[in-house]
Amino acid sequence: MIRICVAAFAVLALAACSKAPEDTTARYTLGGGVGTITVQAAANGDARVEAGQQVLVRNGGTEYLVLTDGKGRFAAKVSDFIAAMGEMMREEGMKPSGLGPQSDYELVKKGTETVTGIAGDVWNVRAKPAKDAKAAPPTETIEAVISGDPALANVGKALSMQTRLSTAGMQQVQGGQGNLEKRVEEMLDKGMVLRFGDALKLDKIEKAPIDTKVFALPAVIDKTALKARLNAERARARAASGTPPVEKPGSGPAPAPTPAPKAK
């Protein structure tokens, strides 16, 4: 009897271990075949996301953006990049547009779907009936298929780095996070995205050891140095295009910001 109990416990322990995060590489295809996103997530939480020229790395629990400018390749904390871009926008005289009247949104589970052999829950973010006549009209439903498998949790967390970076710029312009963005963020926190509408779909997944060199970073600079390099790169781009320098706030209209250095 004791042997049977011990054997049963061992089986349960192995089953539990199989649900623990493990080194996983996921490859996604963007809608229309316009590009791909590769996510490499280690069991210890380190991760790397490559989307075209954009590279994001989580190393030791900290998230970084890898960039390249005229001086070479470097990395900066994502939080420093977002803060620096916000400061640069304000220094050019740009002010948040404001969120304005908004609809309320709800997150609803609509069933299940299997993508590339992985089962997931279908979630919808949809507008609630407007209570305020001045509120923006309801937009179309946003749908995603998400796996809640704990073994794939680190892939979901890694992909969310790109999502947060993408929405950070919008929040800087708007001056905050809208109701729609809040519900979408809640939806994406459910686990690993298998499909996001028609915009993103899991194409291939591989569970195999990932070399730790994948998560290595070039020289990491602080926010002050980052801002200086972003400003220098912007000035260089403006000079090359013949765009006049930005006037100080109050002395005249500020032109739209030029692109930051390419991410690599």
Side-chain angles (χ1 to χ4, degrees):
M1 182 65 180
I2 292 177
R3 288 183 179 178
I4 294 175
C5 290
V6 170
F9 177 78
V11 170
L12 290 173
L14 287 172
C17 289
S18 70
K19 289 297 184 179
E22 52 190 303
D23 286 10
T24 305
T25 299
R27 305 183 193 282
Y28 293 86
T29 300
L30 297 176
V34 296
T36 61
I37 295 178
T38 299
V39 180
Q40 293 172 284
N44 68 355
D46 286 350
R48 180 185 179 93
V49 178
E50 294 188 41
Q53 292 185 328
Q54 186 185 79
V55 175
L56 288 156
V57 175
R58 181 188 292 117
N59 188 306
T62 302
E63 297 177 359
Y64 300 89
L65 179 64
V66 180
L67 299 159
T68 300
D69 63 6
K71 293 183 178 180
R73 198 163 178 261
F74 63 99
K77 292 180 181 178
V78 170
S79 57
D80 284 346
F81 179 81
I82 293 172
M85 292 302 292
E87 290 177 8
M88 291 168 66
M89 289 170 61
R90 291 190 292 274
E91 289 167 2
E92 287 200 339
M94 298 180 68
K95 297 180 180 180
S97 61
L99 293 170
Q102 302 179 66
S103 297
D104 287 328
Y105 292 84
E106 59 185 356
L107 178 59
V108 182
K109 183 178 176 180
K110 299 293 290 184
T112 60
E113 182 179 320
T114 298
V115 179
T116 315
I118 301 175
D121 295 320
V122 179
W123 292 92
N124 283 180
V125 172
R126 63 189 187 192
K128 294 180 180 180
K131 296 179 181 179
D132 183 353
K134 295 182 180 180
T139 58
E140 63 182 7
T141 298
I142 296 177
E143 182 177 275
V145 181
I146 300 176
S147 169
D149 186 346
L152 303 175
N154 284 347
V155 176
K157 293 176 182 177
L159 192 59
S160 70
M161 288 194 294
Q162 192 205 31
T163 304
R164 290 196 303 275
L165 180 61
S166 299
T167 59
M170 183 182 299
Q171 291 179 34
Q172 294 274 14
V173 173
Q174 294 179 161
Q177 187 180 38
N179 293 337
L180 175 60
E181 289 82 8
K182 290 177 182 177
R183 295 289 80 77
V184 171
E185 183 177 292
E186 181 184 350
M187 176 173 68
L188 298 179
D189 283 343
K190 296 290 183 182
M192 173 186 167
V193 173
L194 303 178
R195 178 176 66 79
F196 188 86
D198 297 324
L200 183 73
K201 184 178 180 180
L202 179 67
D203 181 58
K204 183 179 180 181
I205 191 163
E206 177 185 2
K207 293 182 180 180
I210 300 173
D211 193 327
T212 56
K213 293 180 181 179
V214 167
F215 312 113
L217 294 163
V220 178
I221 63 176
D222 61 19
K223 192 184 78 168
T224 300
L226 170 65
K227 190 174 174 181
R229 290 180 74 156
L230 290 175
N231 275 318
E233 189 69 15
R234 182 169 58 181
R236 184 162 41 249
R238 282 187 168 135
S241 65
T243 303
V246 179
E247 298 183 34
K248 295 181 179 180
S251 62
T258 56
K262 294 180 179 179
K264 283 188 177 180

